[in-house]
Amino acid sequence: MIEDLQQAKARTASVVELASELIRRPSRGGIDDYGPVLGVLEDWLTARELPHRRLHDGAGELVGLLVEIPGGRPGSWWTLDACVDTAPYGDETAWSFPPACGDIVDGWLRGRGAADSKLAAAMFCHIAADLAPRAETLCGGLAVLLDVDEHTGGFGGARAYLADPAAARPAGVMIGYPGMDEVVVGGRGLWRASIAVHAPSGHSGSSKTVIGAITRAAHLVRLLDAAELPGVVEGAGFPLPPKLSVTSFHGGQGFSVTPDRVDINVDVRTTPAFDAHDAETLVRKAVAELDAELPAPMPTEVTPVATWPPFRLAEDEQPAAALLGATAEAGLTVRSKTAGPSNIGNLLAGEGIAATAGFGVPYEGLHGIDERAHLAELPQVYAVYQRAVLGLLGG
């Protein structure tokens, strides 16, 4: 591991230089053009003769780059994934430095994307460059997915990769989210639906009393908030309970008219013991109760919009075992974690692909103001990922 760390230290300056260039190309999900930030990566990969190609979605939009390093011996393919689109800046006046500065101050790389996940993208590109000269000795192959459309929730880059018939299907993926203390090996799934609540419209000043859509929708929210969800099931191997949240409530305009429709969004985080079917059953039961207690001319409509399964890898399953083993060899105390929020790991789990979703440098301000990533630990993180990849590829 000492040799790995020395090599990683030699790479650090180049990794940070590339990450800084990426931060200086704004790539906010759904806001900025992704061409410039992906162009920086294309130029870097081309200069090093690393095989790569663009990924496009069904509409022909550019959604990522894919680097592929085939090994010289049979075996499984493994993927390193880091998104290069970012969250929005938010209130730029609240930042103490420009969000796209990409500079280094007191050992911190600063700017939007420093933590999530342009530093990881730069690191993964360098690992691919390190492995390419010895590819003939490796089993299977290594892919590096540099995706965009992640922060929109569309995950266009990951979807294009999985749908690409020319890409080798990976046995597992390691996602470069930051954080030094944990390897994320699982996450709750989700079931999301939009609900249309109807009622007769009326004038707010009328002598006739009308139970409007807002009143009915508010009653439905109370029913959903009061719904009983199971707790953590002992011995099931999943440490988090399900969770239901009403995340959006829209209807009405002005003051004089009671609206005839209100739209609600419901987000249910699922577990192996409370899956998407259970979530939908619970929501439809609350809707049926609403329609029975406060009838309306039209039944309440439930439209499911997204379903992702929960996932959790055991510590001896790949690629979790390789990543956790490499951290142990580096002398790091790292715990495995099941995350409450969902991530690309859930999308991959739905495709039957195992994933870890986080191990990286310490950070601050992720998705908030003054995002920055601490660089002192970068050589250790680099060496851990390189050792994990070599272990998976039989190197």
Side-chain angles (χ1 to χ4, degrees):
M1 195 70 190
I2 293 176
E3 181 180 346
D4 296 344
L5 188 57
Q6 290 173 340
Q7 183 184 44
K9 288 179 178 178
R11 297 286 187 271
T12 297
S14 179
V15 171
V16 174
E17 181 181 4
L18 177 57
S20 295
E21 287 300 311
L22 296 175
I23 293 168
R24 295 185 186 113
R25 304 316 193 271
S27 54
R28 293 164 292 179
I31 298 174
D32 296 311
D33 177 10
Y34 302 133
V37 71
L38 292 175
V40 170
L41 291 165
E42 286 182 303
D43 291 344
W44 192 93
L45 295 166
T46 299
R48 288 152 185 81
E49 299 182 346
L50 290 173
H52 63 280
R53 55 194 170 87
R54 292 185 169 194
L55 295 173
H56 297 86
D57 64 14
E61 296 295 324
L62 178 62
V63 290
L65 298 176
L66 182 63
V67 184
E68 294 170 303
I69 309 294
R73 295 185 288 166
S76 298
W77 277 72
W78 303 89
T79 299
L80 298 172
D81 171 34
C83 63
V84 291
D85 69 325
T86 72
Y89 297 152
D91 181 6
E92 294 186 46
T93 65
W95 287 63
S96 63
F97 50 82
C101 62
D103 61 4
I104 301 167
V105 175
D106 297 330
W108 292 86
L109 175 63
R110 308 193 306 174
R112 178 62 85 223
D116 184 12
S117 297
K118 292 181 176 181
L119 184 61
M123 178 177 65
F124 290 166
C125 285
H126 280 76
I127 290 175
D130 287 344
L131 266 58
R134 58 190 296 186
E136 286 299 316
T137 68
L138 304 178
C139 302
L142 173 68
V144 176
L145 174 61
L146 305 162
D147 55 330
V148 292
D149 194 39
E150 196 260 16
H151 284 83
T152 64
F155 300 102
R159 293 182 189 278
Y161 171 45
L162 297 176
D164 189 341
R169 194 165 186 84
V173 177
M174 291 181 284
I175 304 165
Y177 295 140
M180 193 80 173
D181 300 326
E182 301 164 340
V183 171
V184 177
V185 298
R188 286 189 291 206
L190 60 81
W191 179 84
R192 290 174 175 165
S194 59
I195 302 176
V197 180
H198 302 280
S201 62
H203 196 287
S204 59
S206 172
S207 59
K208 182 180 179 181
T209 300
V210 174
I211 299 178
I214 289 177
T215 299
R216 297 187 75 242
H219 185 62
L220 177 59
V221 171
R222 287 192 292 270
L223 291 172
L224 291 170
D225 284 344
E228 292 188 12
L229 297 172
V232 174
V233 178
E234 295 296 331
F238 200 88
L240 297 175
K243 181 181 180 182
L244 184 152
S245 303
V246 177
T247 58
S248 177
F249 190 109
H250 292 288
Q253 186 175 5
F255 293 92
S256 299
V257 178
T258 57
D260 60 2
R261 174 170 172 153
V262 169
D263 293 293
I264 298 171
N265 288 347
V266 177
D267 179 284
V268 184
R269 298 305 166 115
T270 60
T271 69
F274 188 85
D275 60 14
H277 177 266
D278 297 318
E280 183 166 1
T281 300
L282 181 147
V283 170
R284 290 191 181 278
K285 179 182 178 182
V287 164
E289 188 173 342
L290 168 71
D291 287 348
E293 292 181 6
L294 299 176
M298 291 180 61
T300 303
E301 301 168 285
V302 178
T303 304
V305 296
T307 302
W308 281 0
F311 76 101
R312 179 173 171 81
L313 300 182
E315 293 187 6
D316 60 353
E317 291 182 89
Q318 299 291 16
L323 193 52
L324 288 166
T327 62
E329 290 180 25
L332 300 173
T333 302
V334 177
R335 64 182 180 274
S336 60
K337 177 185 177 181
T338 300
S342 303
N343 53 59
I344 288 183
N346 298 90
L347 174 66
L348 295 166
E351 297 283 337
I353 298 171
T356 59
F359 173 73
V361 299
Y363 64 93
E364 293 179 355
L366 187 148
H367 290 188
I369 63 170
D370 289 353
E371 181 177 346
R372 59 183 189 164
H374 201 243
L375 298 176
E377 296 82 1
L378 179 59
Q380 286 181 298
V381 173
Y382 190 106
V384 163
Y385 272 108
Q386 188 174 60
R387 174 61 66 93
V389 169
L390 285 171
L392 291 167
L393 297 176

